[in-house]
Amino acid sequence: MSSTLAKIAEIEAEMAQTQKNKATAHHLGLLKARLAKLRRELITPKGGSGGGPGEGFDMAKTGDARIGFVGFPSVGKSTLLSNLAGVYSEVAAYEFTTLTTVPGVIRYKGAKIQLLDLPGIIEGAKDGKGRGRQVIAVARTCNLILIVLNVLKPLGHKKIIENELEGFGIRLNSKPPNIGFKKKDKGGINLTATCPQSELDAETVKSILAEYKIHNADVTLRSDATADDLIDVVEGNRVYIPCIYVLNKIDQISIEELDIIYKVPHCVPISAHHRWNFDDLLEKIWDYLKLVRIYTKPKGQLPDYTSPVVLPYSRTTVEDFCMKIHKNLIKEFKYALVWGLSVKHNPQKVGKDHTLEDEDVIQIVKK
């Protein structure tokens, strides 16, 4: 393990010393690719000697969405968690002996949202120290990450945490790079760019791919891409997670400073201790989670508005809805009646491929 760490440190040092310009871009691209490969080794260790996958920290994914809280010690993460869960919770905190307590599940707008404290991510977890690796595995399954920062000194912490998360292949508030990548058996590297490139040229692309022992592939650059973007696509194990920066302890700053903070994107100022601005935070969490609530309607009865079926915005067809309730339901499915924004008529008869919108009402008709 330590040799990998030494190699990473060596490459990082070399990158720090290299001037960034057109002549060195090629070399830097190579170094970045090497770094990405080493980091992947740390996250998914080779060899069978390690314990089973994710030993001791296997969180049951309950609820409709999962939010991970990351932050340095003493920024008020625990206070925020217990106060959030305390105000909106319906579950007692259940202990996890190995790593963390799950402070609970909050119900918000009918959705069950699981709140997870991700401890120890900061302290060199991406270098595979301690329990870090299991925490990372869980962090990668979150639908949203909240980075809790102290409003008095947020930027230093923010940088460190972002670097750590980037190191595990988690990309915050960004979309997958618009790069087409297809491996082939023969024909060399075929590079097409649909717009001018400021960083990548054929040579750099070739050398980055050669680092991965890929010598035949089609690469299509549909946006002005960086070496990092290309590496992300080749690695293929990146997860893209929305993120909110929670600035805690606003009781310690002036109103003028608060006005400035309000203009920063992805930020919510709160005071965990005084429970200030929680509603704002929850509203923003809801925006970022992009959940879709579907209400069910038994035949001849009023819709049940108390417990919606909640779907992630990427999977909102009638079929997804059926799968969420029970996997056998789709076998008996004949058609569905839908009321709401996704249909032109109320009710409208739809098939299993129809896409539902937030707060639609559905009635399933079986064969």
Side-chain angles (χ1 to χ4, degrees):
M1 192 54 113
S2 56
S3 61
T4 317
L5 282 182
K7 280 182 200 158
I8 286 183
E10 214 171 282
I11 292 179
E12 280 177 342
E14 189 178 342
M15 280 171 70
Q17 286 161 9
T18 310
Q19 287 183 347
K20 282 196 178 80
N21 57 39
K22 284 225 169 89
T24 59
H26 175 78
H27 181 61
L28 278 169
L30 265 177
L31 291 177
K32 282 178 179 165
R34 270 184 212 146
L35 200 58
K37 278 169 65 179
L38 289 168
R39 289 226 169 111
R40 187 184 46 191
E41 268 176 43
L42 286 176
I43 299 176
T44 52
K46 290 199 192 88
S49 61
E55 77 217 55
F57 186 53
D58 208 18
M59 269 304 317
K61 188 161 185 178
T62 56
D64 302 306
R66 173 186 256 187
I67 301 178
F69 284 72
V70 188
F72 276 84
S74 75
V75 292
K77 201 169 46 160
S78 315
T79 317
L80 171 61
L81 275 164
S82 55
N83 279 348
L84 262 182
V87 183
Y88 301 95
S89 167
E90 46 168 39
V91 188
Y94 36 104
E95 291 289 325
F96 259 85
T97 48
T98 49
L99 190 63
T100 168
T101 55
V102 178
V105 178
I106 59 174
R107 258 199 181 267
Y108 188 63
K109 297 196 179 182
K112 274 195 175 134
I113 300 171
Q114 186 181 33
L115 303 178
L116 284 187
D117 189 351
L118 301 173
I121 268 206
I122 318 306
E123 298 85 38
K126 76 166 184 282
D127 306 332
K129 289 197 191 93
R131 276 283 161 123
R133 193 179 292 134
Q134 289 140 15
V135 189
I136 298 158
V138 173
R140 288 173 60 104
T141 64
C142 289
N143 307 88
L144 171 67
I145 288 180
L146 291 193
I147 295 184
V148 187
L149 301 165
N150 185 339
V151 77
L152 299 173
K153 42 171 195 281
L155 291 172
H157 283 180
K158 176 172 178 276
K159 266 262 121 346
I160 298 173
I161 294 173
E162 282 173 344
N163 280 342
E164 288 287 320
L165 292 172
E166 294 268 313
F168 321 138
I170 293 174
R171 299 284 173 268
L172 301 173
N173 288 333
S174 58
K175 290 192 166 57
N178 200 344
I179 297 178
F181 172 69
K182 207 157 122 220
K183 286 189 208 174
K184 297 179 302 189
D185 295 338
K186 55 181 190 291
I189 303 284
N190 186 8
L191 177 67
T192 37
T194 56
C195 60
Q197 296 294 320
S198 58
E199 186 175 321
L200 290 175
D201 53 14
E203 193 190 346
T204 311
V205 170
K206 273 199 177 112
S207 60
I208 288 176
L209 291 177
E211 186 62 40
Y212 285 97
K213 302 192 171 57
I214 296 169
H215 302 294
N216 303 295
D218 288 331
V219 180
T220 319
L221 305 172
R222 299 195 194 89
S223 58
D224 187 0
T226 63
D228 292 315
D229 291 340
L230 180 62
I231 292 167
D232 280 354
V233 172
V234 178
E235 284 272 349
N237 60 356
R238 304 292 186 239
V239 284
Y240 296 85
I241 304 180
C243 163
I244 298 173
Y245 303 102
V246 182
L247 294 170
N248 190 16
K249 309 195 179 173
I250 53 171
D251 48 320
Q252 299 174 9
I253 61 169
S254 67
I255 299 288
E256 293 77 35
E257 289 170 297
L258 196 54
D259 284 342
I260 297 169
I261 290 170
Y262 249 104
K263 298 191 173 73
V264 182
H266 311 304
C267 269
V268 183
I270 60 150
S271 164
H273 183 66
H274 297 288
R275 300 189 178 177
W276 292 347
N277 213 12
F278 276 16
D279 40 2
D280 220 16
L281 177 61
L282 283 162
E283 203 41 58
K284 192 141 190 147
I285 286 174
W286 184 257
D287 281 352
Y288 278 55
L289 285 174
K290 292 196 176 92
L291 295 171
V292 174
R293 291 161 291 176
I294 310 295
Y295 302 113
T296 52
K297 179 186 176 315
K299 198 171 177 196
Q301 291 172 26
L302 286 170
D304 174 10
Y305 287 117
T306 52
S307 48
V309 175
V310 180
L311 303 170
Y313 71 104
S314 49
R315 295 197 292 277
T316 56
T317 63
V318 174
E319 183 168 6
D320 295 321
F321 168 84
C322 293
M323 293 304 285
K324 174 97 189 200
I325 292 176
H326 198 283
K327 52 182 180 289
N328 291 341
L329 184 55
I330 199 75
K331 294 178 189 153
E332 305 169 358
F333 177 85
K334 190 171 169 194
Y335 64 88
L337 292 171
V338 175
W339 293 255
L341 293 172
S342 67
V343 289
K344 292 198 176 80
H345 318 290
N346 280 326
Q348 186 172 324
K349 225 167 136 172
V350 299
K352 67 177 196 293
D353 296 329
H354 174 77
T355 304
L356 299 162
E357 301 257 341
D358 192 26
E359 304 214 74
D360 279 1
V361 172
I362 189 169
Q363 176 186 331
I364 303 282
V365 179
K366 296 183 183 173
K367 288 174 183 156

